[in-house]
């Protein structure tokens, strides 16, 4: 069968059932395929259902006029994540799959305890995409915790949660004592716990990774987002067991993104 006899809108509908990666590949097959694969019908199907609300709730509302097509808009989300919710959340799309990624900044995503006003400062750093980050002042013990709603994440997708952090030039205590990470999905009994050295020295297990953007990340936990689920995840980071001083930890936020298999 000669597929070129199909109406363009029919071919676009078929391509919309594939993936962004497949659509890009099909667009170079022939001029006929390119018209269908680049159509708004295809690329709007790869955008989140609430993308218009996200743009309206951001400082990037001009995207409606600056992006000439839904394909342009898709790749803007993939290459230049936008700040939403009063600049407290970063929204992005994974380029190849179109899966939703989000990162909640420290100001909105964590609740600091044990003397929040005196133990933490909220500086602005040029390497951060958020207006403020959280920096730990000298303490003997500390705890941060938070919750992120998952309703905007892509369904039928395995996600991982990452603590995004770095250290100030002056730091102490995170190389000699591990901190405890805790993570669970609301409504589920199972809880993930681990003890890690955030500032691991030579010879110690180093589970954190350099992100290449001036920050490091370490996985806190993972979960599977089912279709129709609109719950949330809860996480915490703490050290209660020591009396040695620690300071210099800088938290940018918590990121949720599809986990690589």
């Amino acid at each position: 069968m000669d597929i070129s006899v199909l109406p363009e809108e029919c071919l676009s509908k078929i391509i919309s059932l594939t993936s962004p990666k497949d659509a890009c590949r099909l667009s170079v097959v022939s001029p006929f395929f390119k018209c269908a694969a680049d159509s708004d019908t295809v690329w709007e199907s790869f955008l989140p259902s609430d993308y218009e609300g996200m743009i309206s709730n951001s400082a990037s509302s001009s995207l409606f006029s600056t992006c000439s097509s839904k394909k342009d808009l898709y790749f803007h989300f993939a290459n230049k994540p936008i700040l939403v919710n009063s600049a407290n959340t970063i929204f992005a799309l994974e380029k190849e799959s179109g899966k939703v990624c989000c990162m909640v900044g420290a100001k909105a995503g964590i609740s600091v305890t044990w003397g929040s006003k005196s133990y933490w400062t909220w500086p602005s750093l040029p390497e951060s995409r958020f207006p403020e980050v959280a920096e730990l002042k000298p303490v003997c013990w500390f705890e941060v915790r938070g919750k992120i709603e998952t309703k905007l994440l892509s369904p039928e997708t395995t996600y991982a949660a990452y603590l995004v952090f770095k250290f100030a030039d002056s730091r102490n205590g995170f190389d000699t004592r591990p901190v405890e990470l805790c993570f669970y999905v609301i409504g589920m009994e199972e809880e993930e716990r681990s003890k890690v050295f955030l500032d691991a020295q030579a010879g110690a297990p180093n589970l954190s990774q350099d992100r290449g953007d001036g920050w490091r990340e370490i996985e806190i936990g993972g979960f599977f987002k089912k279709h129709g689920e609109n719950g949330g995840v809860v996480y915490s980071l703490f050290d209660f067991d020591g009396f040695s001083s620690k300071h210099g930890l800088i938290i940018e936020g918590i990121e949720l993104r599809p986990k690589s298999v």
Side-chain angles (χ1 to χ4, degrees):
M1 176 183 176
D2 183 0
I3 200 168
S4 64
V5 302
L6 289 174
E8 182 182 310
E9 56 270 24
C10 182
L11 184 56
S12 293
K13 181 61 177 179
I14 295 171
I15 296 174
S16 71
L17 301 176
T18 62
S19 70
K21 185 177 182 179
D22 291 332
C24 289
R25 288 173 171 171
L26 290 168
S27 69
V28 300
V29 170
S30 69
F32 175 67
F33 268 87
K34 180 174 176 57
C35 289
D38 287 350
S39 69
D40 281 353
T41 298
V42 170
W43 288 93
E44 186 160 27
S45 72
F46 299 144
L47 290 169
S49 58
D50 191 35
Y51 75 90
E52 292 180 334
M54 292 177 182
I55 294 175
S56 299
N57 192 28
S58 74
S60 306
S61 56
S62 61
L63 287 176
F64 288 121
S65 57
T66 58
C67 291
S68 59
S69 67
K70 294 299 189 295
K71 183 178 181 179
D72 287 346
L73 186 58
Y74 176 92
F75 280 103
H76 189 285
F77 282 139
N79 296 319
K80 297 179 180 179
I82 66 171
L83 281 166
V84 299
N85 298 331
S86 301
N88 287 318
T89 303
I90 292 173
F91 167 80
L93 295 178
E94 192 177 60
K95 185 180 295 185
E96 291 192 356
S97 68
K99 301 288 188 180
V100 172
C101 310
C102 76
M103 181 174 174
V104 179
K107 194 70 173 182
I110 65 173
S111 172
V112 296
T113 59
W114 298 95
S116 60
K117 292 184 178 179
S118 58
Y119 293 171
W120 294 85
T121 60
W122 300 91
S124 297
L125 298 182
E127 62 268 33
S128 176
R129 293 162 290 181
F130 294 105
E132 295 177 307
V133 296
E135 180 175 345
L136 184 66
K137 297 171 70 174
V139 296
C140 290
W141 54 80
F142 75 96
E143 178 184 22
V144 298
R145 60 175 59 247
K147 171 187 172 183
I148 299 180
E149 294 184 355
T150 59
K151 61 182 179 181
L152 294 180
L153 299 181
S154 300
E156 304 304 308
T157 302
T158 299
Y159 276 89
Y162 300 87
L163 172 72
V164 181
F165 70 98
K166 65 187 302 183
F167 288 101
D169 292 336
S170 174
R171 64 183 189 258
N172 182 63
F174 292 96
D175 57 340
T176 57
R177 280 194 55 80
V179 298
E180 188 159 350
L181 303 175
C182 177
F183 179 88
Y184 67 90
V185 178
I186 295 174
M188 299 184 65
E189 296 182 359
E190 186 176 355
E191 182 179 70
E192 296 184 51
R193 284 181 176 266
S194 60
K195 288 189 175 182
V196 299
F197 288 94
L198 292 182
D199 193 18
Q201 300 301 298
N206 186 3
L207 301 179
S208 68
Q209 302 290 328
D210 189 337
R211 290 167 56 92
D213 59 359
W215 297 89
R216 299 190 68 80
E217 67 179 22
I218 190 166
E219 185 174 336
I220 305 173
F223 62 100
F224 184 75
K225 167 69 187 304
K226 295 181 180 179
H227 187 79
E229 281 187 342
N230 294 316
V233 296
V234 176
Y235 48 86
S236 61
L237 164 71
F238 56 88
D239 179 14
F240 295 152
D241 296 332
F243 290 94
S244 59
S245 177
K246 55 187 67 66
H247 69 272
L249 173 65
I250 302 175
I251 299 176
E252 185 182 32
I254 304 293
E255 183 173 56
L256 303 180
R257 67 173 187 263
K259 188 170 184 177
S260 300
V261 179

